[in-house]
Amino acid sequence: MSETISLSSIQAEIFDNEKFTRQLAESSSLIATFKEALKNAQSILDQHFRTDTPTRLLVFSRAWLVDQLLIHAWRQFPFRQNDIGLIAVGGYGRGELHPYSDIDILILYRGFRFKSQHKYVEQFITLLWDIGLKVGHSVRSTRQCIDQARNDITIATSLMESRLLVGSEGLFEQMQKKVGPKKIWPAKAFYAAKRDEQISRHRKFDDTEHNLEPNVKESPGGLRDVQMIGWVAKRHFGGDNLRDLVTHNFLTEAEFGLLSEGQNYLWKIRYGLHMLAGRAEDRLLFDYQERLAKLFGFKDTEESLAIEQLMQKYYRVALRILELNDMLLQHFDEAILRADESFISRPLNTRFKITNDYIEVVDNQVFKRTPFALMEIFLLMAQNKEIQGVRASTIRLIREHRHLIDSEFRQDIRNISIFMELLRSPDRIVTQLQRMRRYAVLGRYLPEFGRIIGKMQYDLFHVYTVDAHTLLLIQYLRRIYLGTEAERFPLSANIIRQIPKLELLYIAGLYHDIAKGRGGDHSALGAEDARAFCERHRLSEWDTELVSWLVENHLIMSITAQRMDISDPAVVQQFAEKMQDQLHLDYLFVLTVADINATNSKLWNSWRASLLHQLYLETRRALSRGLENPIDRENEINTKQQNALALLPFNPTIVKALWQQLGDDYFIQHSHEDIAWHTQAILEHTEPGKPLVMIKDTSNHHHASGTQIFIYSQTEHHLFATTAAILEQLELNIVDARISTSPNNFNLNSYMVLTENGQPLGDNPTLRDQIKQTLTQALLTPQEYPTIIKRHTPRRLQHFTMPTQVNIFSDNHQPYTVIEVVTPDRPGLLARIGRIFLENNVVLQKAKIATLGERVEDVFFITTKDNEPIADDELCERLKVAICSQLDQWAQLAPNH
């Protein structure tokens, strides 16, 4: 259907000028007539969109429709046509309008004859708003246009794209000449300002096109990058469209086709966003991604969701636009900014030379004669710091010859050696890997990497696409090694300096997520790919085994730290046995730190940092002692008690009498400093009927950093649910809970909490007092505390309603039953789970809380009221059913909270 549709046929379908003129003459309501015409026309355009009519035709038709309506509206007023003009500017001036795009107009007038026209202008603008057009307008004389354009590049750009709709042609032409490049903003100044504007805009989006909810207009690789190319070309050549770049030999026909295809796809997404949102919306929010995927015909498969397919295509289009933008800006730089400079070249080798700090081939046949030069160019840039980039002509040659990277190319020892030499380079490794990705060389040399380019994971945990995350991980490794992140990652910065072969770490980073989206265990599949890479690149058997092991086990350290009780010597011993030796531990620790931060920098907080530090240090201690000599649990407890006693100002007999009421787990779970702190607070507590609430920040190698809230109160089974609800109400996140019960019916509960921004409370006495008072009051009558608080679920979380997963099993190393819960994150989650435990008469002993983007992965250690593991299979099944059904039902209702 779309093949037979033309711009003129759509225009004829949506608006008939003669018919509309008659309707205006016959109508009793001018506004209603305009509104009806606008509504009917837009409905037809939207129907065309749903039947896959090329979006460019709809964008042009919408602009043409608005032209007609504005001209008819203008003619309702007695303007002096020789002294005034109605001018379309900006995107509307280009003849491009999406359903809810701003309609930017300029009313240009002769300064000395405007006074009598002013009231009509006001009435005209009012009419436009009344009929439903979102107008951005300015009213200026030619002199004002000149002055404002000279001082503001945005206004100059907008006027550069202007076109007269109705009014004085002479006045319009005069204005265009006055604001042209011969008068203000000559091409060199205009390009420099626009280039800086783009750099600044890209930085706002972290210089990546791979954000979870990209802005199709402003993000890197978005429509603004295409417009940037058009603006510079128009200013420099005076051309009217992008095709003029082909005429001036800045683009080939094929490149112009790719750029136009990319622009059309982004237009399609933007049009769909406007249509679904019912307003101007350029952000590809989760709210619309799933609906757009369905609208565009994507379907879920075993490998990927429809929404992930939509986003992968978007990211690949954006990457292509960035590649072309990069090449064209380099062309413009040479043709405009450096036009008056003399070109100074010096040979680099027989294939490359450096011209004005940019690398280029010595002739156009280099890549054809010596294909390995497609790899060599990136190594040379890494080795020569003075090289700022690649000359545009050479970028084009890379694009034209990258098809030479085939299986034979990948087996060529020269290319293998070059790539390994790049990974061993002391400088600019990441910059070159990013260039290789942008110029589609990396994805061809490593086809398995090519498959993950633009690969999105539909969650809030992974902020970037798999390929962007992978290169960011290597960037974090480089920052840690070079010391630029030493303050944030002091232990990692120290360890990485001891690692003998950094290239093995980078290879593991390249391959750790390479198998995402294939189905199955991506760590195991990735390990196979990593092994194949190492064998192809002639690595030793030992190096190959290490890289493969790192890829297969890249998640084990974060899982152990966040989901297991690493204060238990048995857990540390088990982890140390998996590490085998200090070298494996060192490699894995640094890789884990970089992986967490490259996944989502918001995940890295003082708590996670200290968990990993604690696990690393305890494991190093176990390895140095020897795996055949595990820590004796009883000796560990005795040592802690002796160290705690040394800190206490009490008679040891009194202290030991209190300690005898506590189980061994209490002493295993807490540091000797915390044991002393708890003990002193309890012994000095003079109101036994009143809960004792103590708060302090902890930040040392013995315990994870955060704020510890210690509660000593009479045993009451509502305590955990009540405490969780209170802390939630105070906007504090529980990340760890330790529950101890003494024989005399007192609870010693210790909670580690962080603020909403992932930090300890710090020096905030007002908040500390508020927490103490609120908790103390609530814990006096926990059974009367109201049902779980209800807070609004953040917009992003509302789109993730995965079914709750519950796994219940016995822990052979500890006298507990373990419940693992994976569920969407929602306010009040812990309080609700606590009530489920209460209703089923089970006792929570400790908990490990991990929030990963939109979901939580929490681990609860529970017992019966007699402190025994749960042996009743029916009870375990009831718990599983209760948790799944209640949390899933609650998640569906959560958006209304």
Side-chain angles (χ1 to χ4, degrees):
M1 176 182 175
S2 62
E3 294 179 0
T4 63
I5 292 177
S6 66
L7 182 62
S8 58
S9 68
I10 295 177
Q11 290 174 352
E13 187 179 359
I14 64 174
F15 192 81
D16 184 327
N17 260 305
E18 292 183 3
K19 180 180 178 181
F20 187 71
T21 301
R22 291 196 303 271
Q23 289 174 335
L24 284 178
E26 298 168 0
S27 174
S28 60
S29 173
L30 185 71
I31 293 174
T33 303
F34 273 100
K35 278 187 171 183
E36 186 68 16
L38 182 62
K39 178 182 176 183
N40 290 340
Q42 190 58 53
S43 177
I44 294 170
L45 291 174
D46 289 350
Q47 186 57 36
H48 272 291
F49 181 78
R50 293 181 185 279
T51 54
D52 213 24
T53 297
T55 310
R56 60 184 178 81
L57 298 181
L58 308 182
V59 170
F60 297 151
S61 294
R62 165 79 181 181
W64 176 85
L65 167 69
V66 173
D67 287 353
Q68 311 314 307
L69 294 176
L70 261 61
I71 292 169
H72 277 285
W74 181 266
R75 288 173 177 164
Q76 304 304 310
F77 303 94
F79 290 116
R80 296 166 59 97
Q81 299 299 331
N82 292 330
D83 298 325
I84 197 167
L86 176 61
I87 299 167
V89 295
Y92 178 40
R94 288 194 303 274
E96 304 166 5
L97 277 183
H98 289 265
Y100 293 93
S101 295
D102 285 349
I103 300 165
D104 293 326
I105 57 174
L106 164 67
I107 296 174
L108 183 67
Y109 65 89
R110 296 188 197 278
F112 59 91
R113 294 181 179 174
F114 180 63
K115 192 172 182 180
S116 63
Q117 305 287 290
H118 187 268
K119 65 178 180 180
Y120 301 130
V121 169
E122 290 183 342
Q123 292 170 5
F124 170 70
I125 297 299
T126 300
L127 174 60
L128 297 185
W129 279 97
D130 286 344
I131 64 179
L133 294 176
K134 186 181 177 184
V135 177
H137 76 283
S138 56
V139 182
R140 301 188 187 115
S141 65
T142 301
R143 178 74 260 167
Q144 289 172 329
C145 287
I146 297 168
D147 292 342
Q148 294 189 33
R150 181 180 287 115
N151 296 324
D152 190 331
I153 186 71
T154 303
I155 294 175
T157 306
S158 180
L159 292 177
M160 188 175 68
E161 298 182 302
S162 59
R163 59 190 175 88
L164 181 68
L165 296 176
V166 62
S168 172
E169 290 185 13
L171 185 61
F172 173 64
E173 291 172 0
Q174 180 189 43
M175 182 273 293
Q176 281 195 311
K177 290 178 182 178
K178 296 286 186 180
V179 298
K182 293 182 178 179
K183 298 292 183 179
I184 61 171
W185 291 105
K188 182 179 288 189
F190 183 84
Y191 168 71
K194 282 298 176 183
R195 180 198 57 189
D196 293 345
E197 187 177 83
Q198 176 173 295
I199 291 170
S200 176
R201 175 168 50 80
H202 283 193
R203 282 176 181 161
K204 291 179 182 178
F205 296 93
D206 297 326
D207 283 311
T208 179
E209 69 278 16
H210 294 106
N211 292 297
L212 279 179
E213 295 180 305
N215 186 308
V216 297
K217 183 178 178 183
E218 302 290 347
S219 290
L223 287 167
R224 191 66 85 196
D225 283 2
V226 179
Q227 292 163 7
M228 159 75 174
I229 295 168
W231 290 331
V232 176
K234 187 177 182 68
R235 200 69 177 178
H236 185 57
F237 305 119
D240 290 325
N241 54 57
L242 291 173
R243 178 168 284 284
D244 291 324
L245 290 170
V246 178
T247 305
H248 291 281
N249 297 318
F250 276 73
L251 278 178
T252 64
E253 280 288 349
E255 289 164 347
F256 170 73
L258 288 174
L259 191 62
S260 297
E261 182 184 325
Q263 181 184 50
N264 290 335
Y265 186 69
L266 295 183
W267 272 354
K268 183 176 181 179
I269 289 179
R270 191 181 184 207
Y271 191 107
L273 283 172
H274 281 215
M275 189 177 74
L276 293 177
R279 56 184 169 79
E281 179 57 85
D282 298 327
R283 297 167 300 163
L284 195 42
L285 302 175
F286 290 130
D287 310 52
Y288 308 114
Q289 289 177 10
E290 189 170 3
R291 294 161 66 188
L292 277 178
K294 183 178 180 180
L295 187 64
F296 292 174
F298 292 102
K299 298 184 184 301
D300 292 347
T301 66
E302 291 184 3
E303 290 77 25
S304 60
L305 299 172
I307 189 173
E308 293 172 342
Q309 297 166 46
L310 167 80
M311 295 307 295
Q312 183 165 31
K313 182 170 183 180
Y314 165 81
Y315 292 128
R316 290 189 170 187
V317 166
L319 184 62
R320 185 190 308 154
I321 288 174
L322 272 176
E323 180 188 6
L324 292 169
N325 177 273
D326 188 37
M327 181 186 74
L328 284 167
L329 291 193
Q330 183 56 39
H331 261 311
F332 293 150
D333 189 82
E334 295 168 7
I336 301 173
L337 277 190
R338 300 168 181 262
D340 300 329
E341 294 182 12
S342 57
F343 284 82
I344 302 172
S345 297
R346 68 175 180 84
L348 200 52
N349 59 26
T350 58
R351 291 167 296 282
F352 295 99
K353 61 184 177 180
I354 300 176
T355 301
N356 290 22
D357 298 331
Y358 283 78
I359 192 170
E360 65 175 329
V361 290
V362 295
D363 64 66
N364 291 348
Q365 300 301 310
V366 165
F367 294 129
K368 186 175 182 179
R369 280 197 313 270
T370 55
F372 71 84
L374 287 164
M375 299 289 287
E376 182 187 25
I377 188 172
F378 300 102
L379 176 61
L380 292 173
M381 283 191 283
Q383 293 174 337
N384 294 270
K385 293 182 179 180
E386 72 271 25
I387 299 177
Q388 295 181 18
V390 187
R391 287 203 73 183
S393 56
T394 299
I395 294 175
R396 173 171 286 124
L397 289 171
I398 292 173
R399 289 172 48 80
E400 292 173 352
H401 290 86
R402 59 195 180 196
H403 68 277
L404 297 174
I405 304 175
D406 54 16
S407 57
E408 184 179 347
F409 182 98
R410 289 187 281 271
Q411 295 297 333
D412 191 319
I413 189 61
R414 291 171 295 184
N415 298 319
I416 288 170
S417 300
I418 288 170
F419 192 67
M420 288 307 301
E421 194 172 349
L422 174 62
L423 294 180
R424 295 184 180 114
S425 175
D427 298 300
R428 308 206 293 177
I429 297 174
V430 178
T431 301
Q432 304 320 316
L433 290 175
Q434 289 171 335
R435 280 197 175 108
M436 290 178 75
R437 181 188 66 142
R438 181 167 293 185
Y439 301 151
V441 170
L442 187 59
R444 289 174 180 266
Y445 182 67
L446 303 176
E448 56 273 30
F449 186 87
R451 287 193 288 272
I452 62 169
I453 290 177
K455 180 68 180 174
M456 171 207 182
Q457 297 170 85
Y458 186 53
D459 56 41
L460 292 176
F461 178 52
H462 300 89
V463 172
Y464 304 106
T465 57
V466 181
D467 58 315
H469 158 71
T470 296
L471 296 186
L472 185 57
L473 183 153
I474 298 174
Q475 187 171 58
Y476 268 107
L477 291 174
R478 293 294 297 166
R479 290 174 184 170
I480 292 170
Y481 177 74
L482 296 172
T484 56
E485 294 279 8
E487 187 173 342
R488 285 187 67 205
F489 313 115
L491 183 57
S492 300
N494 181 54
I495 293 170
I496 201 170
R497 288 286 175 177
Q498 313 304 318
I499 286 178
K501 295 182 179 180
L502 285 172
E503 67 271 19
L504 303 184
L505 198 56
Y506 303 149
I507 297 169
L510 267 176
Y511 277 84
H512 79 291
D513 276 352
I514 204 83
K516 282 286 182 72
R518 293 190 205 168
D521 182 350
H522 82 278
S523 299
L525 294 172
E528 294 176 9
D529 284 357
R531 181 181 297 278
F533 172 92
C534 293
E535 291 172 351
R536 177 159 65 93
H537 286 77
R538 315 300 200 268
L539 269 65
S540 70
E541 183 178 349
W542 195 95
D543 288 351
T544 298
E545 290 299 327
L546 174 58
V547 171
S548 179
W549 181 90
L550 284 169
V551 173
E552 186 166 7
N553 293 280
H554 72 274
L555 295 174
I556 191 174
M557 193 165 199
S558 58
I559 289 174
T560 301
Q562 294 175 172
R563 302 179 66 180
M564 301 185 72
D565 184 6
I566 58 177
S567 64
D568 188 335
V571 172
V572 174
Q573 176 71 15
Q574 189 178 32
F575 180 74
E577 289 170 357
K578 292 177 180 176
M579 293 301 100
Q580 308 168 39
D581 55 45
Q582 182 69 45
L583 192 63
H584 282 75
L585 176 64
D586 286 349
Y587 271 99
L588 184 60
F589 177 79
V590 178
L591 181 65
T592 302
V593 171
D595 189 18
I596 292 173
N597 282 274
T599 299
N600 185 339
S601 60
K602 293 181 180 178
L603 294 175
W604 187 257
N605 53 37
S606 59
W607 170 252
R608 282 195 173 89
S610 291
L611 281 177
L612 286 174
H613 289 183
Q614 183 180 350
L615 179 57
Y616 174 84
L617 295 171
E618 293 296 335
T619 305
R620 187 175 69 179
R621 180 181 165 201
L623 290 170
S624 64
R625 188 177 54 252
L627 293 176
E628 69 283 1
N629 297 310
I631 295 175
D632 182 87
R633 186 180 175 93
E634 187 173 338
N635 287 341
E636 182 78 1
I637 292 172
N638 288 334
T639 300
K640 284 188 178 182
Q641 288 181 344
Q642 291 303 316
N643 290 336
L645 272 173
L647 299 176
L648 290 167
F650 301 107
N651 186 316
T653 303
I654 298 173
V655 173
K656 290 179 180 180
L658 172 63
W659 286 353
Q660 285 176 357
Q661 300 178 41
L662 306 176
D664 287 353
D665 281 352
Y666 170 81
F667 296 98
I668 288 293
Q669 292 172 7
H670 296 284
S671 68
H672 72 271
E673 294 97 339
D674 284 345
I675 293 169
W677 180 53
H678 297 165
T679 301
Q680 183 167 349
I682 293 170
L683 292 177
E684 292 178 347
H685 186 46
T686 58
E687 300 178 79
K690 184 179 180 181
L692 168 66
V693 179
M694 302 287 291
I695 302 175
K696 75 166 183 176
D697 285 350
T698 59
S699 181
N700 56 61
H701 70 278
H702 294 297
H703 206 299
S705 294
T707 296
Q708 185 181 164
I709 298 178
F710 174 65
I711 301 173
Y712 179 68
S713 64
Q714 289 184 330
T715 299
E716 169 58 61
H717 292 306
H718 294 80
L719 286 179
F720 177 73
T722 301
T723 304
I726 289 291
L727 294 177
E728 169 74 24
Q729 192 177 49
L730 294 168
E731 298 185 347
L732 296 174
N733 297 319
I734 299 174
V735 292
D736 190 82
R738 308 295 172 101
I739 315 296
S740 299
T741 305
S742 67
N744 62 348
N745 288 323
F746 271 84
N747 276 77
L748 290 80
N749 297 354
S750 179
Y751 299 91
M752 191 65 67
V753 302
L754 298 174
T755 61
E756 293 282 276
N757 61 3
Q759 297 299 318
L761 293 181
D763 185 18
N764 192 335
T766 302
L767 180 56
R768 288 170 184 258
D769 288 343
Q770 181 188 4
I771 294 169
K772 280 187 178 183
Q773 292 172 12
T774 307
L775 277 173
T776 301
Q777 185 62 39
L779 294 176
L780 285 171
T781 54
Q783 69 282 358
E784 297 178 6
Y785 196 73
T787 55
I788 298 168
I789 57 167
K790 296 181 179 180
R791 285 170 54 199
H792 177 70
T793 302
R795 175 189 63 80
R796 279 187 163 194
L797 294 182
Q798 295 176 13
H799 301 282
F800 300 94
T801 54
M802 56 174 279
T804 298
Q805 302 169 32
V806 175
N807 185 27
I808 303 179
F809 59 92
S810 296
D811 188 335
N812 296 328
H813 299 286
Q814 300 180 86
Y816 308 122
T817 294
V818 182
I819 299 184
E820 296 178 341
V821 178
V822 180
T823 190
D825 187 20
R826 294 293 185 269
L829 178 68
L830 286 180
R832 187 169 292 271
I833 292 175
R835 288 190 180 277
I836 293 173
F837 291 158
L838 176 65
E839 291 163 358
N840 286 274
N841 294 313
V842 298
V843 178
L844 177 66
Q845 299 292 350
K846 54 186 175 180
K848 300 278 284 185
I849 313 300
T851 302
L852 307 174
E854 81 292 344
R855 74 180 192 273
V856 296
E857 295 184 2
D858 296 345
V859 183
F860 303 94
F861 301 81
I862 63 173
T863 65
T864 65
K865 289 185 177 180
D866 298 324
N867 294 324
E868 296 291 335
I870 298 174
D872 185 344
D873 291 341
E874 290 186 4
L875 175 56
C876 289
E877 184 62 25
R878 285 200 306 273
L879 281 169
K880 183 174 182 179
V881 170
I883 293 172
C884 289
S885 61
Q886 290 192 38
L887 295 189
D888 287 347
Q889 181 182 15
W890 180 44
Q892 293 173 4
L893 299 174
N896 297 319
H897 286 181

